[in-house]
Amino acid sequence: MKILVVEDEFTSRLLLQRLLSPYGAVHVAVNGEEAIQACRIALINGEPYDLVTLDIMMPKLDGQAALREIRSLEEEHGYVLGRGAKVVMTSALRDAKNIMSAFREACDGYLSKPIDKEKLFALLRKLEVLDASAEGGD
């Protein structure tokens, strides 16, 4: 599995890297602009990401805007909605407006920070990114 962790906060980024690295190659972006660039290159090379964890509140370009652009790039490369990367939004924001906006922009899941390991792996199994036998890290 090819994974992109998009997170500007060091501790959250490190946690997601550590939890997800047993399941595939983990690349990192620290803002929405880097995330779009990474996804563009992956699509051009014919090696798209299987999973993207995307923080909502980031400098330069927030996660909501990055998600719109990532979905647009996927469409340009022939991926119909629902056939591209599984995108899980992460945020300290727990308000309904941000959650509904993320799903409107075609995210596949939403996790509130701090990231709970069990909730993360339950969501990834539900999205069929991990199989049911995956234990969920350490």
Side-chain angles (χ1 to χ4, degrees):
M1 176 166 48
K2 188 172 177 183
I3 304 162
L4 178 63
V5 171
V6 186
E7 173 63 62
D8 65 317
E9 198 270 313
F10 180 78
T11 305
S12 295
R13 186 170 61 242
L14 194 61
L15 173 67
L16 285 165
Q17 281 180 278
R18 185 178 59 79
L19 291 174
L20 296 171
S21 64
Y23 303 100
V26 180
H27 299 170
V28 174
V30 297
N31 61 51
E33 289 178 355
E34 285 187 4
I36 292 166
Q37 181 179 7
C39 288
R40 180 179 291 116
I41 291 168
L43 287 162
I44 288 169
N45 290 335
E47 300 173 349
Y49 288 99
D50 301 297
L51 173 65
V52 177
T53 65
L54 185 58
D55 185 22
I56 289 180
M57 293 184 358
M58 292 184 293
K60 294 190 180 183
L61 189 68
D62 70 27
Q64 302 282 22
L67 176 59
R68 280 191 296 277
E69 184 63 26
I70 289 167
R71 292 304 191 207
S72 177
L73 286 169
E74 288 177 337
E75 187 178 346
E76 288 173 22
H77 284 85
Y79 290 88
V80 295
L81 193 58
R83 297 287 188 172
K86 297 294 184 191
V87 177
V88 175
M89 304 300 280
T90 63
S91 183
L93 303 171
R94 293 188 175 111
D95 62 284
K97 180 181 176 188
N98 272 291
I99 295 169
M100 293 311 298
S101 179
F103 281 103
R104 237 186 339 272
E105 299 301 337
C107 80
D108 297 286
Y110 187 99
L111 290 171
S112 295
K113 291 181 185 177
I115 299 297
D116 177 272
K117 179 175 82 169
E118 298 308 319
K119 288 181 183 177
L120 170 66
F121 287 105
L123 177 58
L124 296 182
R125 285 188 291 270
K126 178 181 174 187
L127 295 176
E128 299 179 351
V129 175
L130 296 179
D131 64 34
S133 65
E135 292 182 28
D138 15 88

